[in-house]
Amino acid sequence: QSVLTQPPSASGTPGQTITISCSGSNSNIGSYPVNWYQQLPGTAPKLLIYTNNQRPSGVPDRFSGSKSGTSASLAISGLQSEDEADYYCAAWHDRLNGVVFGGGTKLTVL
Amino acid sequence: EVQVVESGGGSVQPGRSLRLSCATSGFKFDDYAMHWVRQLPGKGLEWVSGISWNSGRIAYADSVKGRFTISRDNAKNSLYLQMNSLRTEDTALYYCAKDLMTTIPWSQVFDYWGQGTLVTVSS
């Protein structure tokens, strides 16, 4: 059971906009920034969004992040087949004194 | 170009030890915190440990506290993870990851990851 809660799966068709949620508590998301990682099949994770809504250079602006209270969301607009991947949210947890991840959401592009 | 390369994984019996290494290049290693993150087979990500640029701050996940030791050698641009008293549940792909910012002690944002080294603990 992961400390941060994500839906195990999500799906959409090309061109659609989908949203992946990440729910936590005041010990993590409620007090600290949220980061998102994309893991394409068979590869290492890649930083997608940091500090709630910042995109590293090279990440398309189709990807956006937001946070409100103890929850965060990742939105992907103009869905493409190459977006099929696992997506993980992460944040610092003060009581555990460490980084906690969500369980991951497997995105399927139909 | 930033490069992060893990090594040292392998198969080991429960209770034994293993030392992972992470060689880096392409950035000023002693400016950044570093982390170990693992992924159990077919499962999600779990942060294992982090170490600040000067080793002044170190933290561990509860699941490895007291058994694993993180360290770094800034002269060699390398990160290490000494894993003792290994358990079957430590079986995972272990990633070395660079922290994004030169903040003290760390930003807990992982901007570069290696390809991982596989650790299998089995009798």
Side-chain angles (χ1 to χ4, degrees):
Chain A
Q1 195 82 351
S2 302
V3 175
L4 304 182
T5 301
Q6 297 180 235
S9 64
S11 63
T13 56
Q16 259 190 333
T17 296
I18 66 100
T19 300
I20 297 172
S21 62
C22 175
S23 177
S25 70
N26 286 324
S27 295
N28 41 70
I29 293 178
S31 302
Y32 300 94
V34 177
N35 310 305
W36 290 89
Y37 299 89
Q38 177 193 58
Q39 187 174 32
L40 297 170
T43 70
K46 168 192 166 185
L47 178 63
L48 196 63
I49 296 287
Y50 67 97
T51 314
N52 305 325
N53 55 18
Q54 302 300 302
R55 279 186 310 276
S57 60
V59 173
D61 59 7
R62 302 186 297 105
F63 295 91
S64 62
S66 64
K67 185 181 107 167
S68 177
T70 59
S71 294
S73 294
L74 172 71
I76 309 174
S77 62
L79 205 58
Q80 300 179 1
S81 57
E82 53 260 41
D83 297 334
E84 272 207 351
D86 293 324
Y87 293 85
Y88 295 91
C89 59
W92 186 258
H93 192 300
D94 53 19
R95 206 166 30 82
L96 297 177
N97 194 36
V99 178
V100 290
F101 284 91
T105 298
K106 185 177 186 62
L107 174 63
T108 301
V109 181
L110 303 169
Chain B
E1 180 194 3
V2 172
Q3 293 204 337
V4 176
V5 180
E6 304 92 339
S7 62
S11 292
V12 65
Q13 292 180 325
R16 305 299 291 265
S17 299
L18 211 54
R19 189 193 195 210
L20 305 184
S21 298
C22 172
T24 73
S25 62
F27 65 100
K28 196 171 185 301
F29 183 75
D30 54 8
D31 270 355
Y32 295 89
M34 296 292 294
H35 304 264
W36 289 99
V37 178
R38 69 186 181 183
Q39 186 164 32
L40 280 63
K43 300 292 186 183
L45 302 171
E46 180 187 17
W47 175 83
V48 173
S49 181
I51 184 169
S52 62
W53 67 277
N54 63 351
S55 305
R57 182 175 174 183
I58 288 174
Y60 299 96
D62 286 347
S63 57
V64 306
K65 206 172 289 183
R67 300 186 300 120
F68 289 12
T69 302
I70 191 173
S71 63
R72 64 189 294 160
D73 185 336
N74 287 346
K76 295 183 178 179
N77 297 329
S78 294
L79 178 72
Y80 306 100
L81 186 68
Q82 177 66 41
M83 304 186 296
N84 298 333
S85 303
L86 281 162
R87 304 168 180 168
T88 55
E89 55 264 36
D90 295 319
T91 294
L93 186 62
Y94 284 74
Y95 292 105
C96 170
K98 171 188 167 292
D99 202 272
L100 172 67
M101 302 177 191
T102 57
T103 53
I104 297 173
W106 50 57
S107 69
Q108 64 259 6
V109 180
F110 314 134
D111 62 341
Y112 285 94
W113 301 59
Q115 288 306 302
T117 186
L118 183 62
V119 173
T120 303
V121 185
S122 172
S123 54

